[in-house]
Amino acid sequence: MTESTTASLAEADQRPAGTLERGSSIATDTDSRPGPFDGHEAVAILERARASIDPELRAAIESLPGSMRRIARYHFGWEHADGTPAAGNAGKAIRPALVLTTAAALGGPGARAAAVRAAAAVELVHNFTLLHDDVMDRDTTRRHRPTAWTVFGDTDAILAGDALQALALRLLAEDPHPASAAAAARLAACVVELCEGQQADTAMEGRGPAEVTLGEVLAMAEAKTGALLGCACALGALYAGASAADAEAVDAFGREAGLAFQLIDDVIGIWGDPSRTGKPAGADLAARKKSLPVVAALTSGTPAAVELAELYEVPYDGGDLEPTVLAVERAGGRDWAQGQASDRMARAMQKLSRAIPDPEAAGGLLALAEFVTRRTS
């Protein structure tokens, strides 16, 4: 953990929400910036989490019927479309890392080891949402390869996603740990919230550019993204035997960090490098999605907001997206999203300090939170 991170946590509870100390290592630009945060600690945490949960994931997926097993293996990058072995990208494992790191922070190494099945369950739920989101959004690329629905069809991809959700709850139902029942209930409630957020997201696509408020899109983002990150932290707290107050505090930390994550994800979706993101540039703009930077731009009251609204009123015809990108930027959407991500990170640090006031104990969680707000893909 860097010195700046340690100092930031120690001082977080003394600063108003939305402020960061001058020279903070938290940055939200999609370009790499020099600074005290280098991401090495977070990368190590993520790699360790992936190594811990993969055996559980593979064992769970092996229990699926053949057709769904094949789709799941493809989606996780373990197989090619023809069923031959692959060494693909299964994702960053941010959510299971939050489960395991929270458990360790509140209960030590033993709690971390006990929470591996819960961490795998969270990762299964996350991938259930990805399979379904790709179908609903008609996204054709994920993790640098064709999405599952483009390879296997809508129906099979949806059913594979359903199966992953069922596997997640089965992992917890079969876990003898005393916290497993509470964890299963919490994860199930989170899935309902995720569905609520996705429904709100898709409903917004059918509304005009002037009909969506910034408050609505922030609430949608918390439900779609923040809820699962918060739940991951809460499950870690449950498996550590932490108090209800501490579980709620780390849940709030995860939610705020999740909003920061989504803000940066939306920035990357517009200005990111496709060679790093694994997705085509401007896909959200082409789909006329009401992403956070876009809605901030549309509600800015600037001349560029009027221009953007006019562009968004017309379905994308396959032409140049650059005028739309420039309109979002000129209307302040990018600057707002980056500033809001910093604000959410400050709030996350405040919430975390209530449950884990010791900077050393909280270091892994802070490293992960910084990592997701400095990522470029």
Side-chain angles (χ1 to χ4, degrees), residues 32-181:
S32 299
R33 292 182 178 179
F37 175 72
D38 60 13
H40 290 162
E41 181 180 0
V43 169
I45 292 169
L46 293 170
E47 289 176 349
R48 186 181 175 205
R50 175 58 67 195
S52 295
I53 67 165
D54 268 2
E56 287 283 354
L57 288 177
R58 287 180 180 271
I61 287 169
E62 284 303 305
S63 71
L64 291 175
S67 59
M68 287 180 281
R69 182 169 67 243
R70 180 182 175 189
I71 296 167
R73 286 172 172 170
Y74 173 83
H75 171 75
F76 277 100
W78 302 335
E79 286 185 359
H80 296 296
D82 62 2
T84 56
N89 176 14
K92 297 181 180 67
I94 290 167
R95 292 153 190 85
L98 286 171
V99 177
L100 299 174
T101 308
T102 304
L106 289 168
R112 184 195 185 281
V116 168
R117 188 172 292 184
V122 168
E123 184 72 346
L124 286 168
V125 163
H126 173 53
N127 282 276
F128 136 70
T129 68
L130 296 183
L131 282 163
H132 282 203
D133 286 2
D134 286 343
V135 173
M136 286 182 273
D137 295 342
R138 311 315 285 172
D139 286 337
T140 58
T141 306
R142 180 173 294 281
R143 299 168 183 163
H144 304 278
R145 68 201 314 227
T147 46
W149 72 268
T150 66
V151 176
F152 302 100
D154 290 1
T155 300
D156 284 356
I158 291 168
L159 291 171
D162 292 341
L164 294 189
Q165 182 193 169
L167 285 180
L169 294 176
R170 192 183 77 190
L171 280 181
L172 293 175
E174 294 176 349
D175 190 351
H177 194 282
S180 62

Side-chain angles (χ1 to χ4, degrees), residues 218-301:
L218 281 167
M220 176 272 293
E222 179 176 349
K224 270 195 68 173
T225 305
L228 189 54
L229 270 69
C231 182
C233 295
L235 262 58
L238 290 174
Y239 272 73
S243 68
D246 285 350
E248 292 306 319
V250 295
D251 186 303
F253 158 78
R255 284 174 178 269
E256 295 290 358
L259 270 174
F261 179 100
Q262 187 60 55
L263 284 153
I264 296 308
D265 196 63
D266 285 354
V267 169
I268 291 169
I270 299 174
W271 292 281
D273 179 356
S275 68
R276 297 178 65 89
T277 66
K279 296 182 179 182
D284 285 353
L285 297 181
R288 300 307 193 228
K289 289 186 72 69
K290 311 299 193 302
S291 67
L292 288 158
V294 166
V295 176
L298 286 168
T299 57
S300 66

